[in-house]
Amino acid sequence: MRFSGFRVVKEALTGHKGWKPLWRDPDPQPAYDIVIVGGGGHGLATAYYLANTFDKPRVAVLEKGWLGGGNIGRNTTIVRSNYLLPGNQPFYEFSLKLWEGLEQEFNFNAMMSQRGILNLIHSDAQRDAYRRRGNAMLLSGADAELLDLAAVRDMYPFLNFDNARFPIRGGLLQRRAGTARHDAVAWGFARGADLAGVDLIQNCEVTGFRIENGTVKGVETTRGYVGAGKVGVAVAGSTTRVMEKAGLRLPIESQGLQAFVSEGLKPAIDGVITFGAGHFYISQSDKGGLVFGGDIESYNSYAQRGNLPVVEDVMECGMAMLPGIGRARVLRSWGGIMDMTMDGSPIIDRTPVQGLYLNGGWCYGGFKATPASGYTFAHLLATDTPHPVTTAMRLDRFERGHLIDEKGAGAQPNLH
Amino acid sequence: MIIPHPLLGPRDSQEFTIMGDAKLLARPDGLADGAEAAFFDYLYLRDNPAGLHRELWYHEQGDRSWLVVTRDTLTHEILGAELASDVARRLAEGAA
């Protein structure tokens, strides 16, 4: 079923009776060439690119709940490529380029909106740091503009420019960044993978790996044994719990992250704005709700919810940057589990178990990476060589001392 | 979350910062054989359990003591807290 303007008009005139479910609900087959564990954004994207780009259709995605029910359904939908380090930035720029063509690629409306992201600058030192970051972005082929105070005032006149403690001095703008409809991204990849022959198997929890002579042969699930030539794991906050079934201990702590949405307001914030003096980011959804968030909870958690101290901190940061939102009422808040690595950067790599591959450690930045994570993980699974933009994202980089530490915070995940 | 401080009684966790897994108290011997592998494990690898977790909290806005807090990572329930210095002393005696 392809989507088009003509189809929408036709269905509108015929009572919307022609729409069908977007994917099948198959039972697991005895064996597949490649089994992906985790039916979230990254797992579905991996399956999509395996089947469509790398011509590997005998693929299954095993999901313990429903498709897209984890962090792809819980994030603040921001898409950007404004990283600093050479091990990260080319990957995220590759991802942003995939985002730009994504809707045409999988013929699904992901509501990709390149509305720009503005990182506010509050001091001379921060301007120097953002100038350096902007140059790193330009070197990777991304776009970046350093704005002075007048230009920021022109864009967002309602910001708190003269805050005594955190005055705004300018900003780093990436115009190609923006937001996308998070659920639609999962659905688009799921539908595209299903159309190409991938089996998307829900309510199927992986309970163990069958490993013989150091090689993975398949996975034990709540719906029986599934044989596999290769197994790729992309399970976000559950990475430790799944990989320990294969005997692996990882440089990861799971921590909670909250997000918030306000009641619907008239259009006010047409881009993404981040606070430079605290951890706070905000955008406005197409329905009018202000979507915002801040720091992780900073303690280990598998609870998919947070506590009030972070709520208070996020609200304080928001009020310091944008006092006008003080009269808006918060409608909902929710939480997800982040797999925080020891350097704040992700892992896409083989593991010591032959045939078992890991895609994880996305910390709280996995959404923007979804297409590139899927593409490069599919590349690794299909060709057994890392994609050029992921060569630094190795599992053994901690042992070898080749960390990708954007913040330079060291081996303490709650500081990343 | 309320942390039952062994000296000060129940305190709001907002007064604390958290360092992570309490295994960090057991620093390996840098001069022993295999120290490199031991330090890789010590510094980077974590059990990250879903359930009971013993972790280091620092009473930064209080008496500046380090505590070992036992907490359930599935429910955020705190089951107990003791002074990290007591735990470290027990560790040292166990090793001796």
Side-chain angles (χ1 to χ4, degrees):
Chain A
M1 183 172 67
R2 284 194 68 79
F3 291 102
S4 64
F6 171 74
R7 183 75 197 270
V8 171
V9 172
K10 183 177 167 234
E11 290 296 335
L13 294 173
T14 54
H16 291 291
K17 294 200 176 80
W19 301 117
K20 296 281 186 305
L22 290 183
W23 48 80
R24 299 165 292 133
D25 187 18
D27 289 320
Q29 291 173 29
Y32 294 90
D33 291 343
I34 299 173
V35 164
I36 306 296
V37 184
H42 291 215
L44 293 169
T46 304
Y48 175 88
Y49 287 111
L50 271 173
N52 286 286
T53 307
F54 295 96
D55 205 22
K56 301 272 183 198
R58 278 182 41 82
V59 174
V61 176
L62 308 182
E63 164 57 46
K64 78 171 173 186
W66 62 91
L67 299 182
N71 294 341
I72 188 85
R74 294 162 188 271
N75 58 75
T76 45
T77 77
I78 299 167
V79 170
R80 58 187 170 87
S81 67
N82 55 359
Y83 284 70
L84 174 69
L85 297 180
N88 269 337
Q89 174 58 14
F91 171 85
Y92 288 103
E93 176 53 22
F94 178 63
S95 195
L96 188 52
K97 288 201 170 75
L98 288 175
W99 278 110
E100 288 175 320
L102 190 63
E103 290 163 316
Q104 298 304 317
E105 158 82 27
F106 63 25
N107 180 238
F108 200 80
N109 183 8
M111 292 166 68
M112 175 67 185
S113 163
Q114 291 181 287
R115 53 183 72 183
I117 185 167
L118 178 69
N119 306 120
L120 294 176
I121 293 168
H122 305 271
S123 68
D124 290 345
Q126 199 166 29
R127 185 185 295 110
D128 290 345
Y130 274 138
R131 190 188 299 276
R132 180 179 173 220
R133 178 178 297 256
N135 283 333
M137 291 160 64
L138 293 174
L139 283 172
S140 76
D143 66 310
E145 289 169 51
L146 198 67
L147 301 188
D148 61 10
L149 179 57
V152 175
R153 264 189 202 280
D154 196 39
M155 274 185 87
Y156 298 115
F158 45 75
L159 295 176
N160 191 5
F161 289 94
D162 302 318
N163 184 315
R165 202 166 161 206
F166 309 119
I168 294 168
R169 304 288 196 210
L172 179 67
L173 177 67
Q174 185 178 33
R175 291 190 193 274
R176 288 165 58 245
T179 59
R181 170 88 177 94
H182 52 177
D183 292 322
V185 176
W187 299 335
F189 276 125
R191 170 176 165 272
D194 180 82
L195 283 175
V198 172
D199 281 356
L200 306 175
I201 300 159
Q202 305 179 65
N203 299 310
C204 180
E205 182 175 358
V206 170
T207 55
F209 297 91
R210 191 173 290 180
I211 297 168
E212 292 169 9
N213 301 323
T215 302
V216 71
K217 298 291 182 193
V219 291
E220 307 285 353
T221 79
T222 49
R223 294 176 69 173
Y225 174 76
V226 179
K230 291 174 181 173
V231 178
V233 176
V235 294
S238 301
T239 302
T240 296
R241 282 210 271 181
V242 172
M243 295 307 280
E244 75 185 3
K245 298 181 202 302
L248 266 67
R249 241 173 121 234
L250 298 175
I252 285 175
E253 278 182 10
S254 295
Q255 302 200 357
L257 176 68
Q258 300 188 70
F260 308 85
V261 66
S262 79
E263 59 189 331
L265 303 170
K266 288 188 176 178
I269 302 173
D270 61 359
V272 183
I273 313 173
T274 75
F275 190 38
H279 202 156
F280 179 81
Y281 40 91
I282 189 167
S283 64
Q284 189 168 15
S285 78
D286 291 357
K287 283 194 289 188
L290 301 175
V291 183
F292 55 98
D295 259 331
I296 53 170
E297 292 288 308
S298 86
Y299 47 85
N300 292 39
S301 173
Y302 285 95
Q304 283 193 322
R305 61 182 166 78
N307 271 315
L308 289 172
V310 168
V311 177
E312 189 177 20
D313 179 68
V314 169
M315 302 301 161
E316 283 172 355
C317 286
M319 288 300 289
M321 182 182 98
L322 226 168
I325 64 172
R327 308 233 343 235
R329 278 163 292 197
V330 173
L331 201 63
R332 291 186 292 128
S333 72
W334 62 95
I337 315 171
M338 313 294 119
D339 41 347
M340 302 297 299
T341 58
M342 293 290 154
D343 62 358
S345 294
I347 297 160
I348 299 179
D349 200 4
R350 287 183 278 256
T351 69
V353 179
Q354 188 71 30
L356 179 62
Y357 300 75
L358 174 63
N359 175 338
W362 289 98
C363 300
Y364 46 84
F367 178 67
K368 72 180 85 67
T370 304
S373 166
Y375 191 100
T376 57
F377 197 39
H379 185 285
L380 178 66
L381 283 161
T383 67
D384 258 322
T385 51
H387 188 278
V389 297
T390 63
T391 49
M393 295 176 179
R394 299 287 303 276
L395 175 58
D396 66 355
R397 67 177 183 265
F398 302 92
E399 201 165 359
R400 293 180 296 113
H402 291 266
L403 284 83
I404 318 171
D405 194 339
E406 287 272 337
K407 281 196 182 170
Q412 203 181 330
N414 60 8
L415 299 182
H416 288 291
Chain B
M1 294 187 290
I2 305 291
I3 294 177
H5 193 298
L7 303 176
L8 303 175
R11 307 300 308 181
D12 190 332
S13 66
Q14 260 189 295
E15 297 173 2
F16 294 77
T17 59
I18 177 171
M19 178 85 181
D21 195 330
K23 75 156 196 167
L24 293 170
L25 286 174
R27 191 182 169 87
D29 178 1
L31 298 175
D33 285 342
E36 203 174 334
F39 265 96
F40 162 62
D41 185 298
Y42 171 78
L43 188 58
Y44 292 119
L45 299 186
R46 298 288 185 274
D47 287 339
N48 192 25
L52 291 189
H53 189 228
R54 280 160 53 80
E55 52 203 15
L56 285 165
W57 290 74
Y58 176 55
H59 201 190
E60 189 173 36
Q61 292 174 54
D63 69 345
R64 307 247 174 138
S65 58
W66 282 92
L67 304 184
V68 173
V69 175
T70 305
R71 195 174 55 87
D72 190 329
T73 61
L74 288 164
T75 62
H76 298 166
E77 183 191 2
I78 291 176
L79 290 99
E82 51 188 328
L83 289 172
S85 53
D86 290 347
V87 178
R89 197 172 300 118
R90 278 209 311 275
L91 271 174
E93 284 163 4

